[in-house]
């Protein structure tokens, strides 16, 4: 029997341990056979590994890990959000994509984020912590679609491990503590969020045990009723009601605007089967997510541009210069042309054409960085050897840097790369009462302010049923039709540059995969500055500045840290190496079924 949310008991259960418990052990690299997984969290990695050991395939394991991340990483992964997934089917030897991106409610318009009193976009923080920023969640529909097409287990069985962890609890580490602390002020203002994530009115201490029995009950009910409970049933009605009337403490001074979501918006939602993008780079095929994500198109365009140059591991500064310049050009085109292809015309084929890449590559000078922002090109099918730089461009739109990524490979050769997100750390800050999960704020990935009259059209304005543009880039690399690499990262609009830089490190600079992930990073997103990690500035700053790059420390969050990648490499038939971050965001967790060398 379903217990009504109002009678479900305390929304939290976080009991301090008698003495601080050690956090679960993490290892960043694992090599072996029988299957592999890399996530940011040991519990999620162990869950996926157990599914693999019990005969489940990569898709089964990825979804079980995603559900567990909804427990242990609730500020970045939850059934209140969405994501993108790429999958290599070993039997068919094909790559597939599933788009589980959130959609805007049917009542949303291009000016929904504009304050009528001022005619300007709402302050960003106000748009984030609101029902207005909440998109229709796509995660459950994506899981259902993925399992129906590629899985071997039912969703209910894959939710059980996560439900057990939610009931039993997990040890609070420094990252969970810090993410809660960053959100403390707004969490206090929203009653069910405060009750769940600030037990006893305090940020959970490192070493304490955090439990979420509400989420355990929700998972078990989804297992019994199926995802239709969200999209056509009572849970969906609760979500829509929470969005329209956020449960704000009456004593709070914070202005939390109501949203526009109705139950019919959830009923209209569907995860989309997508043909991945594909480009060839140094003899390998690189597959990514097509629009509504800009990950595949922008990574692909930048690789196409870089393919016009010889990059040598003996001259990393030159290679990094070209990487930064190619990123700059690709981001200019991303901002001008990429949006939801169901609502705007996206010239994807031309953006990924070799002719367009050559035209863009000719703008790069070997010894001097172009002044940013640079103008977008013209992917019109008519390309000349060189074109002069344009004058008009659009500023980089803000995109929250908080999401998570995981990779899984199984003994049959299937591979998954999966990004899941609720946008900001803590999403909208709004918890569905009695259900144990936060709602996303993904609609703030839209351009909040329509362009001025006479400006070029913006493909990423809000609209009814529209998917906001994303940078998530779950990426698969094949060699001779077989998987070689799978990778991805959180980081908002820095996702694209992180994936690019890891590929550059591995393919062009000759690093092994662990070194390619650990290497210091920089991100150029068509901004005047190149934002970089301190170690990158220390190592390459002077030489790149001599070429005209203006390097500054990445402001975060977290400050000075770009991304938290997960990846795997098929070293030889039957042998896979899983790799996670050794240090960033506390490090990740890489595991294999049968360790070996």
């Amino acid at each position: 029997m379903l217990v009504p949310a109002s009678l479900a008991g305390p929304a939290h259960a976080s009991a301090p341990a008698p003495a601080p418990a050690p956090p679960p052990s993490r290892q960043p690299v694992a090599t072996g056979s029988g299957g592999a997984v890399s996530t940011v969290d040991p519990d999620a990695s162990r869950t996926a590994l157990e599914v693999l050991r019990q005969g489940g395939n990569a898709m089964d394991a990825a979804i079980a890990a995603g559900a567990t991340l909804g427990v242990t990483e609730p500020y970045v992964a939850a059934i209140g959000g969405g994501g993108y997934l790429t999958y290599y089917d070993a039997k068919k030897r094909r790559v597939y994509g599933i788009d589980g991106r959130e959609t805007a409610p049917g009542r949303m318009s291009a000016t929904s984020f504009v304050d009528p009193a001022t005619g300007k976009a709402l302050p960003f923080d106000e748009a984030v912590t609101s029902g207005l920023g909440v998109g229709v969640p796509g995660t459950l529909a994506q899981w259902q679609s993925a399992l129906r097409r590629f899985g071997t287990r039912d969703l209910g069985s894959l939710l059980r491990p996560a439900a057990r962890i939610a009931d039993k609890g997990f040890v609070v580490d420094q990252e969970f503590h810090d993410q809660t602390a960053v959100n403390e002020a707004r969490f206090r203002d929203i009653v069910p969020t405060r009750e769940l994530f600030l037990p006893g009115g305090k940020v959970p201490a490192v070493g304490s045990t955090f439990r979420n029995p509400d989420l355990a009950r929700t998972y078990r009910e989804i297992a019994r009723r199926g995802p239709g409970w969200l999209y056509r049933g009572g849970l969906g009605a609760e979500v829509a009601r929470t969005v329209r009337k956020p449960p704000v403490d009456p004593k709070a001074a914070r202005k939390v605007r109501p949203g526009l979501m109705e139950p019919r918006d959830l009923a209209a939602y569907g995860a989309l089967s997508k043909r991945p993008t594909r480009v060839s780079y140094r003899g390998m095929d690189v597959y990514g997510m097509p629009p509504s994500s800009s990950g595949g198109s922008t990574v692909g365009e930048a690789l196409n541009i870089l393919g016009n140059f010889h990059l040598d591991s003996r001259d990393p500064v030159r290679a990094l210069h070209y990487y930064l310049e190619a990123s700059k050009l690709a981001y200019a085109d991303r901002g001008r042309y990429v949006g939801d292809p169901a609502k705007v015309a996206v010239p994807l084929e031309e953006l990924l054409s070799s002719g367009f890449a050559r035209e863009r590559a000719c703008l790069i000078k070997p010894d001097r960085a172009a002044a940013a922002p640079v103008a977008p090109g013209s992917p019109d099918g008519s390309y000349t050897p060189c074109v002069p730089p344009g004058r008009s461009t659009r500023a980089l739109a803000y995109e929250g840097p908080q999401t998570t990524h995981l990779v899984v490979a199984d003994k049959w050769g299937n591979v998954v790369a999966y990004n899941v997100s609720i946008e900001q750390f803590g999403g909208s800050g709004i918890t569905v009462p009695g259900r144990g999960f936060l709602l996303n704020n993904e609609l703030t990935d839209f351009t909040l302010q329509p362009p001025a009259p006479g400006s070029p059209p913006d493909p990423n304005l809000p609209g009814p049923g529209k998917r906001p543009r994303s940078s998530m880039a779950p990426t698969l690399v094949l060699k001779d039709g077989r998987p070689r690499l799978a990778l991805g990262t959180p980081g908002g609009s820095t996702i694209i540059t992180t994936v690019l830089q890891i590929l550059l490190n591995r393919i062009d600079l000759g690093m092994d995969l662990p070194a390619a992930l650990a290497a210091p990073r920089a991100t150029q997103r068509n901004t005047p500055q190149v934002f970089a990690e301190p170690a990158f500035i220390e190592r390459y700053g002077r030489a790149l500045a001599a070429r005209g790059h203006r390097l500054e420390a990445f402001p975060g969050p977290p400050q000075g840290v770009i991304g938290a990648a997960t990846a795997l490499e098929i070293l030889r038939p039957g042998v896979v190496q899983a790799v996670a971050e050794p240090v960033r965001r506390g490090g990740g967790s890489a595991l294999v079924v049968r360790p070996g060398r």
Side-chain angles (χ1 to χ4, degrees):
M1 175 178 169
L2 177 63
V3 180
S6 59
L7 303 177
H12 66 82
S14 179
S25 60
R26 298 169 182 259
Q27 64 179 35
V29 182
T31 305
S33 60
V37 58
S38 177
T39 81
V40 298
D41 176 71
D43 287 308
S45 292
R46 284 194 293 266
T47 296
L49 198 72
E50 191 59 27
V51 172
L52 294 174
R53 282 176 172 156
Q54 292 174 358
N57 70 7
M59 188 64 79
D60 303 326
I63 288 170
T68 301
L69 288 170
V71 179
T72 58
E73 298 279 335
Y75 305 141
V76 297
I79 56 172
Y84 297 94
L85 181 153
T86 53
Y87 178 70
Y88 175 79
D89 186 318
K91 190 173 183 179
K92 296 182 179 178
R93 297 186 66 175
R94 284 186 59 189
V95 179
Y96 298 86
I98 303 178
D99 180 335
R101 183 65 158 161
E102 301 84 348
T103 57
R107 292 197 289 137
M108 180 153 276
S109 72
T111 58
S112 288
F113 287 99
V114 175
D115 187 338
T118 64
K120 297 185 181 298
L122 298 174
F124 187 73
D125 288 349
E126 192 174 313
V128 167
T129 309
S130 74
L132 197 60
V134 180
V136 176
T139 292
L140 281 178
Q142 186 180 39
W143 289 352
Q144 182 181 43
S145 174
L147 289 174
R148 190 175 288 161
R149 297 182 63 197
F150 306 114
T152 69
R153 300 288 191 267
D154 65 273
L155 180 59
S157 69
L158 300 174
L159 291 173
R160 286 189 201 113
R164 286 196 297 269
I165 294 169
D167 265 334
K168 181 181 177 182
F170 62 92
V171 177
V172 172
D173 62 9
Q174 190 66 51
E175 187 73 10
F176 184 88
H177 170 87
D178 292 349
Q179 289 179 16
T180 310
V182 165
N183 281 291
E184 182 179 2
R186 66 183 187 134
F187 280 9
R188 287 194 183 282
D189 290 342
I190 299 170
V191 176
T193 307
R194 179 178 68 214
E195 291 175 345
L196 176 57
F197 294 111
L198 299 174
K202 298 179 180 178
V203 175
V206 174
S208 65
T209 299
F210 187 91
R211 297 175 58 236
N212 190 344
D214 283 349
L215 183 56
R217 283 191 291 268
T218 300
Y219 275 174
R220 291 184 178 116
E221 198 62 29
I222 292 168
R224 187 173 76 85
R225 293 173 178 257
W229 184 42
L230 173 64
Y231 296 104
R232 297 177 301 279
L235 181 59
E238 292 177 35
V239 167
R241 182 166 59 247
T242 303
V243 170
R244 293 196 310 276
K245 191 175 181 180
V248 182
D249 188 331
K251 299 176 184 176
R254 185 182 304 273
K255 185 174 186 178
V256 181
R257 293 175 182 260
L260 304 172
M261 193 182 298
E262 302 283 352
R264 63 175 176 266
D265 296 314
L266 288 114
Y269 185 85
L272 304 177
S273 175
K274 287 295 189 84
R275 180 182 179 182
T277 61
R278 181 177 69 86
V279 300
S280 294
Y281 187 70
R282 315 294 191 203
M284 286 176 273
D285 293 316
V286 181
Y287 290 83
M289 280 305 304
S292 57
S293 176
S294 63
S297 64
T298 313
V299 169
E301 181 186 343
L303 289 175
N304 282 342
I305 293 170
L306 288 172
N308 287 276
F309 304 100
H310 175 70
L311 306 180
D312 193 326
S313 61
R314 293 170 296 184
D315 191 354
V317 171
R318 181 175 182 273
L320 289 167
H321 167 71
Y322 281 109
Y323 150 70
L324 294 171
E325 292 299 278
S327 299
K328 187 184 296 179
L329 293 164
Y331 269 83
D333 299 326
R334 167 190 179 271
R336 172 63 181 85
Y337 298 110
V338 180
D340 182 349
K343 306 293 181 179
V344 296
V346 180
L348 182 61
E349 184 175 347
E350 292 301 329
L351 287 171
L352 293 177
S353 69
S354 59
F356 185 59
R358 284 194 300 272
E359 189 172 80
R360 299 299 270 159
C362 76
L363 300 176
I364 298 178
K365 297 179 180 178
D367 57 354
R368 195 69 189 167
V374 299
S378 299
D380 54 11
S382 176
Y383 305 119
T384 57
C386 243
V387 293
R391 296 181 179 179
S392 63
T393 189
R394 180 172 287 117
L396 178 69
Y398 184 84
E399 187 175 344
Q402 294 78 27
T403 176
T404 191
H405 183 269
L406 62 92
V407 289
V408 184
D410 63 32
K411 63 183 178 182
W412 297 284
N414 304 301
V415 181
V416 175
Y418 178 30
N419 265 120
V420 61
S421 178
I422 60 172
E423 221 273 354
Q424 294 284 301
F425 280 139
S428 65
I430 300 169
T431 298
V432 182
R435 297 303 177 196
F437 65 90
L438 288 155
L439 294 171
N440 69 84
N441 66 290
E442 297 286 0
L443 301 189
T444 59
D445 280 351
F446 283 125
T447 305
L448 305 188
Q449 178 82 47
S455 300
D458 190 319
N460 193 42
L461 290 174
K466 191 175 181 180
R467 283 165 155 82
R469 183 175 59 214
S470 170
S471 294
M472 286 185 267
T475 302
L476 299 178
V477 181
L478 275 60
K479 174 75 170 177
D480 299 325
R482 301 288 187 182
R484 177 64 64 86
L485 297 167
L487 68 155
T489 182
S493 60
T494 70
I495 289 173
I496 292 163
T497 53
T498 297
V499 168
L500 270 171
Q501 193 174 355
I502 292 170
L503 290 173
L504 178 83
N505 291 343
R506 179 69 190 93
I507 298 171
D508 292 297
L509 298 184
M511 300 180 194
D512 63 17
L513 190 58
L517 260 74
R521 293 175 186 148
T523 179
Q524 169 52 270
R525 293 160 289 162
N526 199 25
T527 60
Q529 314 93 330
V530 174
F531 290 107
E533 295 177 334
F536 185 96
I537 295 173
E538 182 178 350
R539 188 176 303 179
Y540 303 114
R542 182 173 296 179
L544 288 171
R547 282 174 159 85
H549 297 281
R550 179 178 146 200
L551 276 71
E552 295 184 12
F554 182 68
Q559 186 174 7
V561 177
I562 300 175
T566 54
L568 61 82
E569 179 171 357
I570 311 299
L571 299 178
R572 58 186 181 274
V575 179
V576 62
Q577 183 176 67
V579 183
E581 295 282 1
V583 176
R584 292 180 182 93
R585 299 197 189 182
S589 172
L591 298 171
V592 293
V593 173
R594 289 189 297 275
R597 297 182 68 85

